[in-house]
Amino acid sequence: MKSVSTSWPLPVRRGPLDNMGVESGPESRPAEVSLAIGERRMLGKLMLHGDPCADGFMEAAARCLGSSLPIEPNTISLCRVRVLWFGPKQWLLVTQPDDQHSVATSLRSALSAESFALVDVSDQMTVVTIAGNAVHDVMARLCSLDLGAQAMSPPRCARTVVARLPVTVDMRDKQPCFDLYVESTVAPHLWHSLQHVGRRWHPVVFRPPASIG
Amino acid sequence: MLLITCPWCGQRDELEFSYGGEAHLVRPEPTDHATAKEWAEYLFMRTNPKGFHKERWQHTGGCRAWFNAIRDTRTNRLIDVYVVGAPPPEITE
């Protein structure tokens, strides 16, 4: 009797931009390059909803995360996770890859007495990173919001429309480098738009580290 | 480009916003005792003024929050914005 093999190949984790060559590029942006585009792969993302006017909610969240949730619009706090202000009652918590489960568990435990909602959106959105001296020129062509250093000095974030897509822009540091949080299903459109608009700067694909700092 | 001031995010392009109709419409209460005329007033009848109009907007391309605005329908200029639940500001010609 013929035996049937029951060993299945292990599932492979794939990102929404794997077809764009994001895995084959260099790990860091070459210094002479004006525009580099990459994907910060597999970061954990949690959407937290709660009332900032409820003292218990803010205190419990700060105790669990190690830092207060940002209340001022378009600001960021960096602690155990990277917290982006997403709305008057909404925050995006960005964690190291695969750390979202432990963060969610501890947050649910810390906020058990409060009214809140916590949703794992790690696979719903991905992070496209653009870096280099041409970043501001490229963004100015795709986004009506002034993201220049004079208008918004890093670290800041802004939810806006880029290439007609709802995107959250995270200005990570003074060296021009933006993280663009976009829904995974439309990430290829953003990717192609960045490549098209930035073609005069000969963009290269790179692999930015999956870090939150 | 029309600029609209979100109470939270500041000035943004109008493309980031969605119009939500007239503000301060009061739902007839209790709903199971409201007459057909009261429902029709609530659902279909609008003031449609020539001048200052209090209306609802959502920052759909940004923080996704709803807010109220006063717009001059003669010039399409947004005069003022205020958060939902707050009394509308006094506007004079």
Side-chain angles (χ1 to χ4, degrees), chain B:
Chain B
M1 182 172 75
L2 179 65
L3 290 176
I4 297 177
T5 304
C6 169
W8 289 276
C9 303
Q11 273 197 339
R12 297 291 184 92
D13 183 358
E14 65 171 315
L15 288 174
E16 296 188 10
F17 296 85
S18 300
Y19 177 69
E22 187 173 335
H24 305 295
L25 296 175
V26 181
R27 189 182 175 92
E29 295 286 352
T31 52
D32 50 352
H33 288 98
T35 63
K37 187 170 186 295
E38 287 172 325
W39 275 116
E41 285 283 334
Y42 170 67
L43 291 171
F44 305 118
M45 305 310 288
R46 298 294 180 259
T47 54
N48 194 23
K50 180 182 179 184
F52 299 134
H53 188 221
K54 300 183 186 76
E55 49 199 28
R56 305 171 73 223
W57 285 82
Q58 188 189 16
H59 193 186
T60 39
C63 63
R64 302 197 62 81
W66 285 92
F67 61 93
N68 292 334
I70 298 177
R71 182 173 59 95
D72 190 338
T73 57
R74 295 164 296 189
T75 59
N76 199 32
R77 276 185 60 232
L78 275 171
I79 308 297
D80 206 348
V81 296
Y82 54 104
V83 297
V84 174
E90 291 290 328
I91 302 290
T92 52
E93 291 282 351

Side-chain angles (χ1 to χ4, degrees), chain A residues 6 91 94-95 107-108 110 114 117 122 137 157 162-163 170-171 198 210:
Chain A
T6 55
W91 297 268
V94 186
T95 75
L107 255 180
R108 286 199 176 97
E114 307 297 329
S122 302
D137 291 311
C157 68
V162 179
D170 181 356
M171 286 151 269

Side-chain angles (χ1 to χ4, degrees), chain A residues 149-178:
Chain A
Q150 290 175 336
M152 284 194 173
S153 60
R156 299 275 286 183
C157 68
R159 293 186 76 191
T160 184
V161 174
V162 179
R164 296 206 168 247
L165 300 172
V167 168
T168 303
V169 183
D170 181 356
M171 286 151 269
R172 282 176 80 113
D173 53 40
K174 286 203 169 77
Q175 288 189 338
C177 176
F178 289 170

Side-chain angles (χ1 to χ4, degrees), chain A residues 125-147:
Chain A
M125 58 174 77
T126 190
V127 184
V128 175
T129 300
I130 58 170
N133 295 327
V135 160
H136 289 293
D137 291 311
V138 172
M139 291 303 288
R141 284 163 172 77
L142 290 173
C143 175
S144 61
L145 183 64
D146 185 2
L147 298 169

Side-chain angles (χ1 to χ4, degrees), chain A residues 50 61 68-69 76 79 93 105 115 120 140 153 164 194 202:
Chain A
S68 300
L69 296 171
I76 291 169
C79 43
L93 317 181
T105 304
S115 176
D120 187 344
S153 60
R164 296 206 168 247
L194 291 168
H202 309 290

